[in-house]
Amino acid sequence: MIIKDAQFLVSNTDVRKCPEGTMPEFAFIGRSNVGKSSLINMLTNRKGLAMTSSTPGKTMLVNHFIINNDWYLVDLPGYGYARRGKEGREQIRTVIENYIQERMQLTCLFVLIDSRLEPQQIDLEFIEWLGENGVPFCIIFTKIDKIGKGKLTSNRHLFEQKLLENWEELPLMFETSSEHRLGKEEVLGYIESVIREVRK
Ligand code: GTP
Ligand code: MG
């Protein structure tokens, strides 16, 4: 897919105030600092489209972008940022859960996983919750420029083993680096194919 146009539309915490209409929507989620906003900028080829920061907890709102005047892309706040405190974390959790459960246009959720880490409980629990709620999702292993091929393979294998404890089939998985611009064609190609499918 060629991205000819990408525009920021609106940020909010209330799913009822998200853009109306029936365009398919693809959202990016994951732990704080996993690289959601950086990935969105890499995919859209626009450096400052989504705000990034080395300090976790940068994205606090549900941010809508419109791509090629054809589909919505959403940058979500990260979950599990410890320094936000219990109350802050729960607030963000409510925003995320309401969005995912109520946003009818949500076509696929990309769950970002830091490829450098062994499986984290918080990610596994979140994916479990997606299963319970019947949310279609894919996995993206991020920051693969920061890790060797061997460690990447073993972390991915461990993650797959954990998923197979609860799932019969593995979800689709991608590996990306926003720094080295890897995985772009794969993720965008998938989005394009899903859009084609839902419009059949
Ligand atoms: P929150 O909005 O705080 O939840 O974070 P986020 O998931 O949007 O992460 P963000 O894109 O802001 O990136 C966090 C940090 O990781 C920044 O310092 C980025 O430069 C860095 N980063 C993101 N992706 C990559 C990557 O693929 N490779 C490398 N080396 N660094 C990355
Ligand atoms: Mg962000």
Side-chain angles (χ1 to χ4, degrees), residues 174-185:
F174 301 93
E175 294 174 359
T176 63
S177 162
S178 303
E179 195 70 25
H180 291 182
R181 312 189 60 74
L182 299 172
K184 182 179 173 190
E185 302 309 323

Side-chain angles (χ1 to χ4, degrees), residues 32-38 52-53 57-59 143 145-146 178:
S32 210
N33 220 37
V34 70
K36 300 174 289 296
S37 303
S38 304
T52 65
S53 165
K58 176 73 187 173
T59 310
K143 307 192 186 184
D145 58 285
K146 287 198 156 190
S178 303

Side-chain angles (χ1 to χ4, degrees), residues 36-53:
K36 300 174 289 296
S37 303
S38 304
L39 182 69
I40 289 168
N41 292 338
M42 192 271 274
L43 292 174
T44 56
N45 238 336
R46 279 143 183 92
K47 249 189 170 162
L49 187 67
M51 272 190 271
T52 65
S53 165

Side-chain angles (χ1 to χ4, degrees), residues 20-168:
E20 289 176 15
T22 56
M23 288 192 202
E25 182 157 311
F26 297 82
F28 293 79
I29 189 132
R31 280 201 314 158
S32 210
N33 220 37
V34 70
K36 300 174 289 296
S37 303
S38 304
L39 182 69
I40 289 168
N41 292 338
M42 192 271 274
L43 292 174
T44 56
N45 238 336
R46 279 143 183 92
K47 249 189 170 162
L49 187 67
M51 272 190 271
T52 65
S53 165
S54 53
T55 317
K58 176 73 187 173
T59 310
M60 302 278 286
L61 303 165
V62 176
N63 301 287
H64 270 80
F65 303 88
I66 185 160
I67 311 298
N68 292 347
N69 208 18
D70 188 44
W71 56 278
Y72 291 127
L73 185 156
V74 176
D75 189 13
L76 290 169
Y79 51 76
Y81 177 42
R83 283 178 62 190
R84 238 192 302 255
K86 189 160 187 279
E87 205 172 305
R89 276 202 308 275
E90 300 218 321
Q91 238 169 7
I92 293 282
R93 190 174 185 93
T94 308
V95 171
I96 293 170
E97 291 189 355
N98 285 346
Y99 165 79
I100 293 174
Q101 286 175 317
E102 286 168 40
R103 185 70 174 160
M104 299 313 288
Q105 294 91 329
L106 180 61
T107 309
C108 180
L109 183 66
F110 290 99
V111 182
L112 275 57
I113 302 291
D114 190 329
S115 67
R116 297 169 298 177
L117 306 177
E118 292 189 357
Q120 302 287 300
Q121 200 57 32
I122 188 160
D123 293 324
L124 297 169
E125 279 169 12
F126 180 72
I127 291 170
E128 207 46 44
W129 181 85
L130 293 179
E132 286 159 13
N133 287 274
V135 181
F137 69 94
C138 293
I139 302 283
I140 297 183
F141 293 98
T142 63
K143 307 192 186 184
I144 62 166
D145 58 285
K146 287 198 156 190
I147 184 175
K149 190 77 194 141
K151 190 78 185 142
L152 172 63
T153 306
S154 76
N155 281 347
R156 179 168 168 167
H157 181 71
L158 285 173
F159 199 84
E160 290 175 356
Q161 292 306 111
K162 281 283 180 193
L163 289 186
L164 287 171
E165 289 174 13
N166 293 308
W167 296 79
E168 275 177 27

